[in-house]
């Protein structure tokens, strides 16, 4: 007895492609959110799963280092401001 993959069962390649597309979509939203209001973006970035909750310096550093599309001038201003 064999199991056939019907149209509703994606292959592992299709699943991987969907996962990558979803990750790219989340990173695009994250970059847009951060670029528009960096100081108010933490909650949105946490809900996207891109920052830890509670926020750690390491997760913010990882986000700033590896998220494509961030405006480096805005990142510089964000890092130059004092955060408590």
């Amino acid at each position: 007895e064999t199991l056939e993959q019907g149209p509703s069962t994606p292959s592992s390649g299709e699943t991987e492609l969907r996962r990558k597309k979803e990750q790219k979509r989340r990173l695009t939203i994250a970059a847009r959110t951060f670029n528009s209001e960096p100081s108010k973006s933490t909650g949105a970035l946490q809900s996207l799963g891109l920052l830890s909750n509670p926020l750690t310096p390491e997760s913010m550093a990882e986000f700033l280092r590896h998220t494509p599309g961030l405006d480096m001038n805005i990142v510089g201003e964000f890092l130059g401001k004092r955060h408590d």
Side-chain angles (χ1 to χ4, degrees):
E1 186 175 305
T2 62
L3 292 175
E4 290 185 24
Q5 281 191 332
S8 63
T9 307
S11 70
S12 62
E14 290 171 343
T15 302
E16 180 67 14
L17 183 61
R18 285 186 187 150
R19 189 189 66 74
K20 285 183 178 181
K21 279 185 173 182
E22 176 61 20
Q23 179 68 2
K24 184 176 181 179
R25 185 186 71 79
R26 288 182 355 181
L27 290 173
T28 300
I29 292 168
R32 222 180 287 141
T33 301
F34 181 85
N35 289 340
S36 66
E37 294 216 47
S39 61
K40 297 180 182 177
S41 65
T42 305
L45 298 174
Q46 287 171 321
S47 71
L48 287 168
L50 298 172
L51 289 179
S52 65
N53 191 358
L55 182 63
T56 64
E58 293 81 9
S59 78
M60 180 56 82
E62 183 81 11
F63 171 77
L64 295 175
R65 170 112 168 72
H66 297 290
T67 303
L70 293 179
D71 182 324
M72 289 299 122
N73 292 322
I74 292 173
V75 170
E77 288 176 23
F78 177 77
L79 293 174
K81 290 181 182 175
R82 181 170 177 173
H83 304 283
D84 294 324

